[in-house]
Amino acid sequence: MLLRHAFIPILSEHPFFCLPESVGWYGQWPDHFVGRDKGTWNTFSIHVVVDGKGYVDVDDRQYALVKGDCYLYFPNQRQLYYSSKDDPWELRWVHFYGGSELTQFLIDRGFHRSSLWTLKDMSSFEQLYHVLLTEAEKHEALHYSRLSYLTYGIIAEFVSNAIPLTTNKGTEVSDRLLKLLPQIQKQAHLPFLLEEWAEKAEISQYYFCRLFRKLTQLSPLEFVTLCRLQMAKQLLIEKKDWSIKRIAIESGYINANYFNKKFLAHEGMTPTQYRESH
């Protein structure tokens, strides 16, 4: 059995948004089994499968989890999860806590609706996780402020990357759409044609919009707008001899006045003011 973990004393009063109670990982443990009754565990917990296979029971139904899948428990929830004996899972886990703001933060983003999730990208989560684990092992409770912001980084990465656990078919569709995002970003200065992108994703336009929002928390046009503004900000700094009108056109806005309006709404200043401030 492989096991690595660190435990931190819980502070009853603290000025931080969140703090870890424990962090660790385990693997090669075919008999791993955890069952906790409702009301017996008073911290949040995130578990991410990085290898192998295991199971989580929710409402008397068993769900199989593999690499990239994860589960999130709110405080006092009933918990039941266990490893596959044939292909034991390897897990990364973090138990954490905070005040009412932390609970509301997760509820506002819909994470109270399900315990089962899949990470679109595990790399950033794993990097932050290892930094937190190393900090907890090395300094234990000496640097609560550092432990807090590292824990928040993991929570924020989870919130940004987690999507509801779906069937294999749903995962394939999600993967196709996610692979299109870099292309949409690169071509954001061109007219956004929903029917063309939906065809590339091999789904209907309605489902494209619905799935797009689920995966990115944005509508397709909101995403394109952010990509265009990112492009515009880069050009405003790099192309100091270009006029605002030219930058608007190069960023995908034919009308410079509309470009100024969108830029002001998002950035709190006009393109000219942004350029001057840098």
Side-chain angles (χ1 to χ4, degrees):
M1 177 179 68
L2 299 178
L3 179 64
R4 179 181 172 190
H5 56 234
F7 297 91
I8 309 297
I10 291 180
L11 297 180
S12 58
E13 295 183 8
H14 58 84
F16 306 109
F17 182 76
C18 59
L19 282 169
E21 180 275 333
S22 56
V23 55
W25 63 268
Y26 42 76
Q28 298 183 17
W29 188 3
D31 294 325
H32 173 242
F33 178 96
V34 173
R36 298 186 177 107
D37 291 333
K38 184 177 180 180
T40 60
W41 196 260
N42 62 358
T43 66
F44 292 90
S45 64
I46 293 174
H47 294 68
V48 178
V49 182
V50 298
D51 198 12
K53 182 180 179 180
Y55 303 94
V56 176
D57 283 19
V58 179
D59 297 330
D60 298 321
R61 180 178 175 184
Q62 182 190 75
Y63 295 86
L65 274 65
V66 295
K67 182 177 180 179
D69 295 336
C70 42
Y71 47 101
L72 165 68
Y73 286 122
F74 275 59
N76 299 312
Q77 271 191 294
R78 177 178 179 269
Q79 302 181 16
L80 183 59
Y81 52 94
Y82 43 95
S83 176
S84 162
K85 293 185 179 296
D86 297 327
D87 185 15
W89 62 7
E90 184 175 331
L91 289 176
R92 306 284 188 264
W93 53 266
V94 182
H95 294 289
F96 57 96
Y97 62 99
S100 58
E101 296 87 355
L102 174 59
T103 301
Q104 196 60 48
F105 174 80
L106 292 169
I107 289 176
D108 288 345
R109 287 152 183 81
F111 285 90
H112 62 299
R113 296 178 183 144
S114 174
S115 299
L116 306 177
W117 304 86
T118 296
L119 290 182
K120 296 178 288 184
D121 177 14
M122 286 182 55
S123 58
S124 296
F125 181 93
E126 283 204 89
Q127 289 172 13
L128 290 167
Y129 163 84
H130 284 294
V131 174
L132 174 61
L133 178 58
T134 301
E135 172 66 24
E137 288 176 328
K138 185 176 181 180
H139 299 294
E140 296 180 340
L142 292 179
H143 302 145
Y144 270 108
S145 60
R146 180 168 172 80
L147 288 171
S148 179
Y149 83 71
L150 289 173
T151 304
Y152 177 73
I154 284 179
I155 296 171
E157 194 64 37
F158 178 85
V159 167
S160 299
N161 274 300
I163 58 175
L165 187 70
T166 59
T167 63
N168 290 336
K169 181 179 179 181
T171 301
E172 291 173 3
V173 175
S174 297
D175 288 345
R176 286 203 302 271
L177 198 154
L178 287 170
K179 289 177 181 178
L180 291 177
L181 293 183
Q183 297 179 42
I184 296 174
Q185 182 179 32
K186 187 176 181 180
Q187 299 178 32
H189 61 293
L190 301 175
F192 180 80
L193 301 177
L194 175 59
E195 60 272 23
E196 290 187 5
W197 290 107
E199 185 177 346
K200 290 180 180 180
E202 301 177 27
I203 54 179
S204 70
Q205 296 178 40
Y206 170 79
Y207 188 49
F208 181 94
C209 293
R210 182 179 176 184
L211 184 60
F212 197 102
R213 182 173 287 279
K214 178 184 288 188
L215 295 175
T216 67
Q217 309 304 310
L218 299 167
S219 72
L221 290 180
E222 288 171 338
F223 179 79
V224 169
T225 295
L226 292 181
C227 294
R228 288 176 174 177
L229 292 176
Q230 178 184 352
M231 189 182 305
K233 291 171 72 174
Q234 197 78 17
L235 292 174
L236 283 166
I237 304 306
E238 294 180 352
K239 304 294 184 180
K240 296 185 180 298
D241 57 328
W242 283 15
S243 67
I244 299 300
K245 182 178 180 179
R246 181 175 179 183
I247 288 175
I249 294 173
E250 294 291 336
S251 302
Y253 294 98
I254 298 176
N255 187 307
N257 289 331
Y258 182 71
F259 166 66
N260 274 277
K261 181 179 179 180
K262 295 295 288 186
F263 196 98
L264 177 62
H266 277 266
E267 303 297 326
M269 63 181 75
T270 66
T272 300
Q273 290 171 331
Y274 182 82
R275 170 180 273 172
E276 290 173 350
S277 70
H278 286 74

